[in-house]
């Protein structure tokens, strides 16, 4: 049965001033849906309400969204039109819909976009609705699920949870006689030990490893480690050395802190000094292959990536495992940490069907409605009960897409040792990250030290504080 909200709250939120902000959802946005998603349902449901959701994702996610929308209509009578937009075009397309007044009822939103649109007053305030929800409360969700654009005011909730971890090929470890990486938080290894294992796992064409005096770094056939060098790649090394590249309130850029510099230099040295990680040219190919393909082919032994990569491992015929991040010499006692890397889902104030939109918004919280997105390795739940209730936990973790060690390296880390990604709370992060990433390129190329590269970073024009309250906190 459809869940219902208190009528007085809906009336307050759907006042003429708000509903007049945009043309009715489902006009040109529905036309765009039919153009951009060939599988999109069309037409108005003559017996019920029609709402629209915009989203991105893989073919699998698009198919899953279609199934969810069909199931929701069967249960409630509400038609959900799907506006699928490719990742690369998403911000541009959504900006055009906002400018034209043709916003959908609810939408996936990139973290770098969410606050600027929240500041423009485009989104419904989530906490007000959540307080009146008959089925869910704030405490039902894991830490860092909600994004607050002002203290006590929420503009969206994360659509799912994704954490950062290490993947590794056990067959390559066995062949080299190297001990497996630890999956338990309390067993995390040091950077020194991590380097040693990477050296033993890096091989040249003659079979010499990187610890051998005969090793040929010009003819490497198997690398010990790889990671996409972006903010949730190198950022995870910074936080696991006790560092932070912004201060707590987002008013200062602090990457010159030795804890940050040491983490960045360690990564740079893995590539250019120790030769256990692909150089910039080789890494471009490896990164395009992704974690699963790189590990399966034996090109790389260890790959740092997001939890979502479990999807790609499902069904692959080799032994793989997952592990927690290594910890640096200056790590605090809470390390190792993982990142909460995801994107929020928001409701536009322009919706003319807030009750139905909210109902669908919260219906999507329940993994049972799209269990394949969780059991196949793509998503982690945001509801706390799906981590704490053994029966619910088994539904999405006892599958071929979850290897041994997953309960420790992912489930325990998500519940007890997770930090919000800087992109989810630092203002103007996208502008600053563009500067940071380009400035770090010389470090990855081996033409500058971490200290030299960071000295060239100037993001002062974009420092504008942070949205520090991201809940629930625990």
């Amino acid at each position: 049965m459809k869940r219902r909200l208190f009528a007085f709250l809906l009336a307050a939120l759907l006042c003429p001033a708000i509903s007049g902000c945009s043309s009715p959802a489902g006009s040109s946005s529905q036309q765009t849906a039919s153009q951009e998603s060939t599988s999109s349902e069309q037409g108005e449901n003559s017996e019920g309400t029609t709402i629209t959701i915009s989203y991105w994702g893989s073919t699998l996610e698009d198919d899953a969204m279609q199934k969810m929308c069909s199931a929701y209509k069967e249960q409630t009578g509400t038609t959900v039109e799907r506006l699928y937009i490719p990742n690369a075009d998403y911000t541009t397309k959504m900006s055009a819909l906002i400018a034209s007044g043709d916003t959908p009822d609810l939408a996936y939103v990139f973290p770098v976009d969410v606050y600027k649109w929240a500041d423009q007053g485009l989104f419904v305030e989530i906490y007000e609705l959540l307080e009146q929800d008959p089925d869910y409360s704030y405490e039902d969700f894991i830490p860092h699920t909600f994004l607050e654009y002002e203290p006590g005011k929420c503009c969206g909730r994360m659509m799912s949870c994704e954490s950062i971890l290490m993947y590794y090929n056990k067959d390559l470890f066995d062949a080299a006689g190297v001990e497996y990486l630890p999956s338990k938080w309390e067993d995390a290894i040091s950077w020194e030990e991590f380097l040693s294992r990477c050296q033993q796992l890096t091989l040249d064409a003659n079979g010499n490893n990187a610890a051998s005096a005969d090793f040929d770094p010009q003819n490497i056939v198997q690398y010990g480690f790889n990671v996409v060098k972006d903010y949730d790649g190198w950022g995870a090394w910074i936080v696991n050395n006790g560092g932070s590249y912004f201060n707590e309130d987002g008013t200062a850029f602090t990457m010159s802190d030795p804890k940050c510099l040491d983490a960045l230099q360690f990564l740079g040295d893995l590539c250019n000094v120790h030769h256990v990680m692909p150089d910039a040219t080789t890494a471009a190919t490896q990164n395009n292959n992704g974690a699963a393909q790189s590990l399966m082919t034996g090109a790389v032994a260890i790959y740092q990536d997001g939890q979502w990569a479990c999807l790609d491992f499902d069904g692959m015929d080799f032994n793989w495992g997952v592990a927690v991040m290594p910890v640096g010499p200056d790590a605090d006692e809470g390390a190792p940490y993982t990142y909460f890397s995801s994107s929020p889902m928001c409701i536009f104030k322009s919706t003319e069907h807030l009750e139905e939109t909210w109902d669908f918004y919260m219906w999507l919280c329940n993994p049972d409605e799209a269990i394949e997105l969780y059991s196949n390795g793509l998503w982690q739940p945001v509801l706390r009960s799906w981590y704490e209730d053994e029966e619910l936990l088994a539904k999405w973790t006892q599958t071929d897409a979850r290897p041994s060690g997953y309960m420790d390296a992912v489930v325990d880390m998500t519940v007890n040792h997770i930090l919000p990604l800087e992109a989810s709370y630092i203002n103007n992060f996208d502008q600053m990250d563009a500067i940071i990433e380009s400035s770090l390129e010389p470090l990855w190329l081996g033409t500058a030290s971490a200290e030299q590269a960071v000295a060239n970073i100037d993001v002062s024009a974009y420092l504008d504080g942070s949205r520090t309250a991201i809940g629930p906190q625990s």
Side-chain angles (χ1 to χ4, degrees), residues 297-318:
T297 60
V300 176
I302 307 167
Y303 203 113
Q304 178 188 332
D305 207 345
Q307 190 280 157
W308 58 83
C310 287
L311 170 68
D312 300 323
F313 284 95
D314 189 13
M316 286 193 170
D317 189 20
F318 75 103

Side-chain angles (χ1 to χ4, degrees), residues 88-126:
D89 303 327
Y90 198 83
T91 294
T92 300
K93 185 63 180 178
M94 287 302 300
S95 297
L97 292 174
I98 290 170
S100 65
D102 289 326
T103 51
D105 296 274
L106 70 162
Y108 290 10
V109 181
F110 287 124
V112 295
D113 295 323
V114 67
Y115 294 122
K116 65 183 178 185
W117 291 341
D119 289 340
Q120 294 172 25
L122 297 179
F123 300 134
V124 167
E125 207 287 287
I126 297 301

Side-chain angles (χ1 to χ4, degrees), residues 58-112:
S58 65
T59 301
L60 177 72
E61 290 175 86
D62 190 22
D63 290 343
M65 182 62 75
Q66 180 182 9
K67 293 177 183 177
M68 286 189 288
C69 292
S70 297
Y72 185 72
K73 182 177 180 180
E74 290 180 6
Q75 293 180 29
T76 67
T78 297
T79 297
V80 182
E81 294 281 359
R82 298 177 297 110
L83 173 53
Y84 173 79
I85 305 171
N87 296 43
D89 303 327
Y90 198 83
T91 294
T92 300
K93 185 63 180 178
M94 287 302 300
S95 297
L97 292 174
I98 290 170
S100 65
D102 289 326
T103 51
D105 296 274
L106 70 162
Y108 290 10
V109 181
F110 287 124
V112 295

Side-chain angles (χ1 to χ4, degrees), residues 167-380:
Y167 295 88
Y168 65 100
N169 185 324
K170 290 185 174 182
D171 294 331
L172 300 183
F173 274 66
D174 290 341
V178 176
E179 184 179 356
Y180 293 158
L181 296 178
S183 60
K184 293 181 180 292
W185 171 84
E186 60 268 26
D187 296 333
I189 61 175
S190 67
W191 287 358
E192 182 179 10
E193 176 59 26
F194 181 77
L195 171 59
S196 175
R197 297 190 194 187
C198 287
Q199 287 175 317
Q200 296 174 70
L201 291 160
T202 300
L203 303 176
D204 66 18
N206 295 315
N208 300 308
N209 68 37
S212 169
D214 297 322
F215 177 70
D216 182 1
Q218 301 303 315
N219 290 287
I220 298 174
V221 296
Q222 176 181 303
Y223 287 92
F225 176 63
N226 199 12
V227 60
V228 177
K229 299 174 188 67
D230 57 13
Y231 57 81
D232 57 0
W234 47 257
W237 290 83
I238 287 177
V239 298
N240 281 303
N241 193 42
S244 175
Y245 56 103
F246 291 99
N247 67 348
E248 186 174 354
D249 62 7
T251 58
F253 181 67
T254 56
M255 193 174 275
S256 58
D257 180 339
K259 295 178 181 179
C260 298
L261 294 178
D262 289 348
L264 294 170
Q265 190 64 59
F266 180 78
L267 279 179
D269 288 349
L270 288 181
C271 175
N272 300 303
V273 175
H274 305 295
H275 307 291
V276 300
M277 184 165 67
D279 60 28
T281 302
T282 307
T285 302
Q286 296 291 348
N287 293 342
N288 288 335
N289 288 339
Q293 191 70 19
S294 295
L295 294 186
M296 183 190 70
T297 60
V300 176
I302 307 167
Y303 203 113
Q304 178 188 332
D305 207 345
Q307 190 280 157
W308 58 83
C310 287
L311 170 68
D312 300 323
F313 284 95
D314 189 13
M316 286 193 170
D317 189 20
F318 75 103
N319 296 318
W320 59 287
V322 291
V324 296
M325 292 288 299
V327 293
D330 292 315
D332 63 46
E333 61 183 14
Y337 299 102
T338 186
Y339 267 142
F340 192 136
S341 178
S342 187
S343 295
M345 186 184 302
C346 304
I347 298 175
F348 280 94
K349 281 184 178 179
S350 56
T351 180
E352 293 190 335
H353 306 290
L354 180 57
E355 182 175 352
E356 290 82 2
T357 301
W358 175 258
D359 189 78
F360 182 58
Y361 185 82
M362 298 307 291
W363 184 87
L364 290 172
C365 290
N366 184 359
D368 269 333
E369 308 302 348
I371 192 62
E372 67 272 14
L373 286 176
Y374 299 85
S375 62
N376 67 14
L378 182 62
W379 284 0
Q380 295 176 240

Side-chain angles (χ1 to χ4, degrees), residues 442-464:
L443 171 62
W444 312 136
L445 291 169
T447 60
S449 67
E451 184 175 9
Q452 291 168 335
V454 170
N456 290 324
I457 300 175
D458 182 5
V459 295
S460 57
Y462 298 103
L463 287 170
D464 190 28

